[in-house]
Amino acid sequence: VPSSIPVAADPAVISPQDPTLLIGSSLVATCTVGPDSELRAEDLYWTLNGRRLPAALSAALGPTTLSVALARLNGSKQQSGDNLVCHSRDGGILAGSCLYVGLPPEKPVNITCWSKNMKDLTCKWAPGTEGETFLHTNYTLKYKLRWYGRDNTCQEYHTAGPYSCHIPKDLALFTPYEIWVEASNRLGVAVSDVVMLDILDVVTTDPPSDVHVSRVGDLEDQLSGEEPPWPCWSQVMPNQAATGFSTIPAPPSPPQVVDDVGNQTSCRLAGLRPGTVYFVQVRCNPFGIYGSKKAGIWSDWSNPTAASTPRSERAAGGCDPKGGEQNTTLRRELKQFFGWVKKHAYGCSNLGIKLYDQWRVWLQKSHKARNQVGKEP
């Protein structure tokens, strides 16, 4: 009898007591009052989860026994079991039983693991294709060194979601681990496939913080993103991180991702729209840790940092060159650029992107000056 149901000392007995059944099963239960009771079968009735069952489902099997027939049972509405209770005519509770109706667990799938400091490991998994068993299901993450280790059981569950566990310490490097998940409930046990991994191959980091974004002079199609030197990896091994930048124009435009810019902590974002607000994010990925041949795992994206490109000074309604006009425009711009270099840069020994940027700023200022002169009376 469930402890939550107050009853006298065995005034009646329900059989079977607390059964476990598959979804779709049928059940015939009986309630028999004690020999010293003045109650008879016609004085009894049944409830399921507080709702009175129709009298047509019940039948007297003797002067002191009332049965109830339940067909095609659905999954339990609560993991603690559905309450089947036998009552006396005045509503008093005589006996109770918990019905556990559900499914056996499915094999857990999609085990993924990561390490934040090469000493810990967090793993998560999915409970199977169906997932819901309607019964309380226990999940146990187990692990061992591949060739000679003993089985160990993870203790810190639900650290990264409902199906996850964290191993905080005492892990070995340079040796692969076998990791698996066992699922169990009242109807059975299911074991996942074994995953093999080396801690060094699943290292990840926290996302970068304090990312700065600024304009590149007056260039209307570029921004510069910069993070503090190695904010997400310096605690473990400096200069062992790849960085990815993401620019997200104001909604509803889709994000543009610039992945893996090496171990730089800054990135020039070009080809942007003039006069547009962008949200810039950064993430990190450790690589080559102690000679590992795998790239590790990308961190989450940092919080977005907003910046806007300068507005274009081109007249409204103007069109970008198309088709063959692009080649003509490019040749003209290169001719102008090299003419400017010859006049202002005194040789080409320092020819590079910064010099090209300086020329573009000079060119835009020249256009602004001409436009202002043309607008005067």
Side-chain angles (χ1 to χ4, degrees):
V1 178
S3 59
S4 60
I5 302 176
V7 296
D10 297 329
V13 174
I14 289 181
S15 180
Q17 183 68 47
D18 302 340
T20 301
L21 305 163
L22 281 169
I23 290 176
S25 299
S26 297
L27 172 71
V28 175
T30 60
C31 177
T32 303
V33 296
D36 299 332
S37 174
E38 298 179 356
L39 297 172
R40 292 294 178 264
E42 59 268 21
D43 299 322
L44 310 179
Y45 69 90
W46 294 92
T47 63
L48 181 62
N49 290 332
R51 298 184 64 178
R52 186 164 179 165
L53 294 173
L57 299 180
S58 301
L61 299 184
T64 59
T65 300
L66 183 69
S67 69
V68 63
L70 303 174
R72 298 183 296 277
L73 290 167
N74 294 320
S76 296
K77 296 183 181 301
Q78 49 200 20
Q79 291 190 344
S80 58
D82 291 338
N83 293 322
L84 181 65
V85 179
C86 177
H87 298 264
S88 60
R89 179 180 295 173
D90 61 3
I93 296 174
L94 301 176
S97 177
C98 285
L99 306 185
Y100 298 95
V101 186
L103 299 168
E106 294 193 23
K107 181 174 74 172
V109 295
N110 298 335
I111 300 175
T112 57
C113 304
W114 63 92
S115 174
K116 283 294 184 70
N117 55 23
M118 297 192 297
K119 299 177 182 177
D120 74 332
L121 191 68
T122 300
C123 296
K124 63 180 181 180
W125 59 90
T129 54
E130 295 296 332
E132 178 61 72
T133 65
F134 300 95
L135 302 175
H136 177 70
T137 301
N138 288 316
Y139 292 91
T140 304
L141 178 76
K142 294 188 175 182
Y143 61 100
K144 69 175 183 177
L145 290 170
R146 181 177 180 185
W147 292 294
Y148 53 85
R150 59 180 179 84
D151 289 5
N152 296 279
T153 300
C154 184
Q155 302 295 327
E156 299 180 9
Y157 289 89
H158 313 300
T159 54
Y163 304 107
S164 65
C165 195
H166 178 238
I167 305 168
K169 59 181 180 178
D170 299 330
L171 293 170
L173 300 179
F174 309 109
T175 304
Y177 276 91
E178 293 182 359
I179 298 174
W180 67 96
V181 177
E182 296 180 359
S184 62
N185 65 18
R186 289 173 170 266
L187 286 171
V189 177
V191 181
S192 73
D193 294 334
V194 175
V195 173
M196 286 184 289
L197 60 85
D198 191 308
I199 305 300
L200 296 177
D201 292 337
V202 293
V203 175
T204 187
T205 70
D206 291 327
S209 59
D210 198 24
V211 176
H212 299 284
V213 183
S214 59
R215 294 181 177 180
V216 182
D218 290 334
L219 296 180
E220 58 197 30
D221 66 340
Q222 298 189 25
L223 292 172
S224 177
E226 183 175 358
E227 54 171 328
W230 315 115
C232 52
W233 194 234
S234 57
Q235 295 179 356
V236 180
M237 186 173 295
N239 301 334
Q240 291 281 328
T243 305
F245 284 83
S246 171
T247 61
I248 307 176
S253 301
Q256 304 168 19
V257 178
V258 184
D259 265 345
D260 191 0
V261 295
N263 57 3
Q264 303 176 63
T265 57
S266 64
C267 182
R268 180 76 62 86
L269 304 169
L272 307 180
R273 295 197 298 265
T276 303
V277 175
Y278 284 85
F279 297 98
V280 179
Q281 296 172 280
V282 185
R283 62 181 183 176
C284 287
N285 184 343
F287 67 91
I289 306 302
Y290 289 120
S292 171
K293 296 181 180 180
K294 295 188 178 181
I297 299 173
W298 284 105
S299 72
D300 293 331
W301 288 105
S302 67
N303 292 326
T305 300
S308 63
T309 52
R311 291 188 175 276
S312 173
E313 294 297 330
R314 288 180 295 182
C319 297
D320 291 331
K322 298 180 180 179
E325 297 178 15
Q326 291 182 346
N327 291 334
T328 303
T329 302
L330 178 60
R331 286 196 297 269
R332 184 173 62 249
E333 286 194 355
L334 287 174
K335 185 177 180 180
Q336 292 175 341
F337 170 60
F338 285 113
W340 180 85
V341 168
K342 184 177 180 180
K343 183 177 180 181
H344 296 276
Y346 308 105
C348 298
S349 59
N350 294 321
L351 187 62
I353 187 66
K354 290 186 178 179
L355 191 61
Y356 182 75
D357 291 344
Q358 292 174 14
W359 169 71
R360 292 197 57 187
V361 171
W362 172 85
L363 191 64
Q364 289 181 20
K365 288 181 178 178
S366 299
H367 282 301
K368 289 179 183 178
R370 283 197 298 272
N371 290 337
Q372 291 173 356
V373 171
K375 293 176 183 178
E376 293 179 355

